[in-house]
């Protein structure tokens, strides 16, 4: 996703559709034209004469990431002031595809040539991991880097969908090892750790009380939601309930972490309030997530042959990961006016 740095040092991240538009710096108030600093000079629109005194709408603000960058959704009045504001902008918003249309297009994303190329690139790169694992040290390092790169891509897919983008972000190979590889991997793993903490605490207490064997506890902890569904009778009921609740909350947790950083997950009151305000569509998002996971497992098991099963399983995983991240981002994009808070 393109980035731009203001003269005051504030860094902004914005969708490609906003290149050439005028924006007001949240930190110093300066008005500048959005260009992509990373990819060199890009032709931009003429100066629109946007006044630095233009104030954002009350309660609406750009999304601030954990690295201090501002994620500006396309058309957000708090960050982007485009030439087509006013009546033209309102007409454009009225013609914007609805949630159901965007969901349908999400499942058909490979129909776009650009998205298909991105999908194939991700698919091929992830096939390196099983072969890289043949080496011990070097293979482990390559696996960590690729997983970090893939985590960054998945979070970028969520962010671009949250901004209303229809095209997938480019899978860039960054030279910033910490910010663009290690930290996204930490965010991705952290999102699952956060939702499974209550279940893990219960297992720890059960082990200390002698009710659960430590080795069984480890298998249950690492099995997660999949083990609960496939071995429901062999799991402690409380543990199964806590895992299911965690899986139910995960779309909201990963959304918060991707757009607002880890500090946003502490406000459980706001998270619960937002889920209640958007309950029907949130339930739909969760059901689509579980449905995609079930279909993914079905397609992976049906493949014959070890090598072919490996290739197909990786491709199926990438497809449904992209679908899932876009569904979560679209949930925010279309219903952010019902959220109990605003980032930034």
């Amino acid at each position: 996703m393109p980035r731009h740095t203001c003269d005051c040092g504030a860094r902004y991240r914005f969708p490609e559709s906003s290149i050439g538009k005028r924006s007001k710096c949240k930190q110093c108030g300066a008005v500048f034209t959005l260009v992509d600093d990373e990819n060199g000079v890009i032709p931009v629109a003429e100066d629109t004469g946007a006044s630095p005194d233009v104030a954002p709408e009350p309660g609406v603000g750009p999304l601030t990431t954990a690295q201090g960058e501002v994620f500006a959704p396309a058309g957000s009045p708090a960050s982007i002031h485009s030439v087509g504001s006013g009546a033209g902008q309102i007409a454009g918003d009225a013609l914007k595809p609805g949630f159901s249309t965007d969901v349908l297009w999400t499942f058909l994303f490979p129909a776009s040539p650009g998205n298909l190329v991105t999908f194939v690139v991700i698919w091929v790169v992830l096939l390196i991991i099983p072969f890289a694992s043949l080496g011990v040290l070097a293979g482990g390092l390559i696996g960590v880097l690729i997983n970090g790169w893939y985590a960054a891509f998945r979070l970028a897919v969520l962010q671009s969908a949250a901004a209303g983008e229809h095209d997938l972000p480019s899978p860039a190979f960054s030279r910033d090892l910490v910010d663009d590889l290690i930290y996204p991997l930490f965010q991705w793993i952290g999102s699952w750790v956060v939702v499974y903490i209550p279940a893990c605490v219960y297992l720890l207490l059960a082990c200390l009380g002698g009710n659960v064997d430590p080795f069984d506890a480890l298998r249950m902890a690492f099995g997660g939601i999949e083990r609960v569904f496939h071995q429901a009778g062999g799991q402690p009921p409380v543990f199964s309930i806590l895992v299911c609740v965690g899986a139910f909350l995960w779309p909201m947790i990963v959304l918060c972490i991707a757009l607002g950083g880890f500090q946003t997950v502490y406000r459980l009151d706001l998270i619960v309030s937002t889920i209640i305000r958007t309950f029907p569509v949130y339930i739909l998002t969760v059901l689509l997530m579980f449905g995609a996971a079930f279909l993914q497992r079905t397609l992976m098991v049906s493949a014959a042959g070890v090598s072919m099963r490996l290739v197909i399983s990786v491709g199926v995983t990438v497809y449904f990961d992209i679908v899932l991240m876009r569904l979560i981002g679209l949930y925010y994009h279309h219903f952010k006016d019902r959220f109990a808070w605003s980032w930034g």
Side-chain angles (χ1 to χ4, degrees):
M1 188 168 289
R3 300 180 182 181
H4 180 78
T5 303
C6 180
D7 292 337
C8 68
R11 294 193 301 168
Y12 292 86
R13 181 181 296 177
F14 55 92
E16 294 182 0
S17 60
S18 296
I19 292 178
K21 295 181 180 180
R22 303 283 286 172
S23 179
K24 180 180 178 181
C25 179
K26 180 184 175 185
Q27 181 169 308
C28 69
V31 174
F32 53 83
T33 302
L34 289 171
V35 297
D36 188 353
D37 292 339
E38 294 187 347
N39 297 324
V41 179
I42 297 178
V44 297
E46 295 180 359
D47 192 330
T48 61
S51 170
D53 296 326
V54 176
E57 289 185 5
V60 181
L63 312 181
T64 305
T65 66
Q67 294 94 336
E69 298 173 331
V70 175
F71 179 80
S76 171
S79 57
I80 306 298
H81 306 281
S82 64
V83 180
S85 59
Q89 183 66 36
I90 294 175
D93 290 342
L95 296 174
K96 184 175 61 175
F99 179 67
S100 58
T101 304
D102 281 350
V103 168
L104 176 61
W105 174 247
T106 290
F107 283 92
L108 300 176
F109 77 85
S112 168
N115 288 345
L116 180 60
V117 170
T118 299
F119 169 69
V120 172
V121 169
I122 299 292
W123 187 355
V124 171
V125 172
L126 290 186
L127 285 173
I128 298 176
I129 295 180
F131 298 100
S133 62
L134 296 177
V136 180
L137 182 60
L141 179 60
I142 292 174
V144 170
L145 293 178
I146 293 179
N147 277 296
W149 172 77
Y150 186 46
F153 171 75
R154 283 179 287 190
L155 295 176
V157 170
L158 188 156
Q159 292 169 342
S160 64
E165 292 290 312
H166 289 86
D167 293 330
L168 297 178
S170 300
F173 293 87
S174 175
R175 291 172 294 180
D176 195 335
L177 182 64
V178 176
D179 288 344
D180 293 337
L181 292 179
I182 303 301
Y183 187 73
L185 182 60
F186 176 70
Q187 287 181 303
W188 183 260
I189 297 176
S191 67
W192 288 105
V193 170
V194 167
V195 298
Y196 285 151
I197 282 179
C200 292
V201 170
Y202 169 80
L203 285 180
L204 177 61
L205 295 177
C207 288
L208 294 177
N211 298 320
V212 177
D213 181 79
F215 292 101
D216 290 337
L218 286 176
R219 284 193 291 268
M220 286 187 284
F222 286 100
I225 188 68
E226 184 175 348
R227 184 180 176 89
V228 168
F229 283 154
H230 288 86
Q231 300 183 12
Q235 310 287 342
V238 176
F239 171 77
S240 299
I241 292 173
L242 291 175
V243 169
C244 291
V245 170
F248 174 79
L249 293 175
W250 183 78
M252 179 62 75
I253 296 300
V254 73
L255 176 67
C256 291
I257 292 175
L259 300 184
F262 281 100
Q263 64 270 20
T264 60
V265 301
Y266 298 117
R267 294 302 305 271
L268 292 178
D269 56 330
L270 297 181
I271 290 176
V272 173
S273 175
T274 298
I275 292 177
I276 293 174
R277 292 183 183 186
T278 61
F279 192 72
V281 70
Y282 187 79
I283 286 292
L284 176 62
T285 302
V286 172
L287 290 177
L288 288 172
M289 178 184 78
F290 283 115
F294 175 78
L295 184 58
Q296 172 185 348
R297 180 174 178 83
T298 302
L299 293 175
M300 289 170 62
V301 172
S302 62
V306 177
S307 299
M308 184 58 65
R309 181 175 298 179
L310 173 63
V311 173
I312 293 179
S313 64
V314 171
V316 170
T317 299
V318 172
Y319 171 81
F320 283 106
D321 280 352
I322 292 174
V323 168
L324 176 57
M325 291 296 99
R326 278 198 52 82
L327 290 175
I328 297 173
L330 290 174
Y331 160 68
Y332 173 79
H333 175 68
H334 286 280
F335 302 97
K336 56 179 175 282
D337 57 323
R338 303 184 196 175
F339 274 54
W341 73 94
S342 61
W343 283 286

